[in-house]
Amino acid sequence: VQLQASGGGLVQAGGSLRLSCAASGRTFSSYSMGWFRQAPGKEREFVSRITWSGDGTYYAVPVKGRFTISRDNAKNTVYLQMNRLKPEDTAVYYCAATGGIRWSVDAMDYWGKGTLVTVSS
């Protein structure tokens, strides 16, 4: 599976962005998908994930209620709708996929290259 993230950019605080992660490979629908982010000088951290069927979604506390993850298995794409953005959301956002049940940076099977989100105050 190859992952390509897009949709990052510069936005003012309070604004919105939608990230997309397009996957190649016929087994996309069998993977749990999700997003991590890495701010300058900080470790990569979990943001959100979605089960292979789409019926389970999970969020990190700092983004819960503001971000929404979804997937379209017919399009091999996972989305992250980010609303009410804050300057502290500024980071490179990476999509990731795993066929396993663990969800951590070291447990992912595949990574996209990342897309930069910058939120100005």
Side-chain angles (χ1 to χ4, degrees):
V1 175
Q2 292 184 328
L3 306 176
Q4 180 64 52
S6 62
L10 174 64
V11 63
Q12 288 188 333
S16 299
L17 282 174
R18 188 175 82 155
L19 305 183
S20 298
C21 178
S24 63
R26 294 179 294 175
T27 59
F28 170 79
S29 60
S30 65
Y31 286 86
S32 292
M33 302 290 296
W35 296 89
F36 291 79
R37 67 186 181 185
Q38 188 166 18
K42 295 188 177 181
E43 294 185 350
R44 194 169 298 190
E45 64 177 8
F46 166 73
V47 175
S48 180
R49 65 184 174 98
I50 187 167
T51 57
W52 67 270
S53 63
D55 61 357
T57 57
Y58 306 88
Y59 299 92
V61 170
V63 308
K64 197 169 186 179
R66 299 187 296 121
F67 291 10
T68 303
I69 191 169
S70 61
R71 68 189 294 166
D72 185 337
N73 287 343
K75 296 182 178 180
N76 282 6
T77 302
V78 62
Y79 305 97
L80 186 69
Q81 178 66 43
M82 306 186 295
N83 298 328
R84 291 184 282 136
L85 283 160
K86 304 175 181 180
E88 51 264 44
D89 295 318
T90 295
V92 176
Y93 284 70
Y94 298 89
C95 62
T98 180
I101 60 175
R102 288 180 56 230
W103 197 267
S104 61
V105 171
D106 63 337
M108 296 298 100
D109 296 313
Y110 303 99
W111 289 94
K113 286 189 176 180
T115 184
L116 177 63
V117 172
T118 304
V119 184
S120 62
S121 58

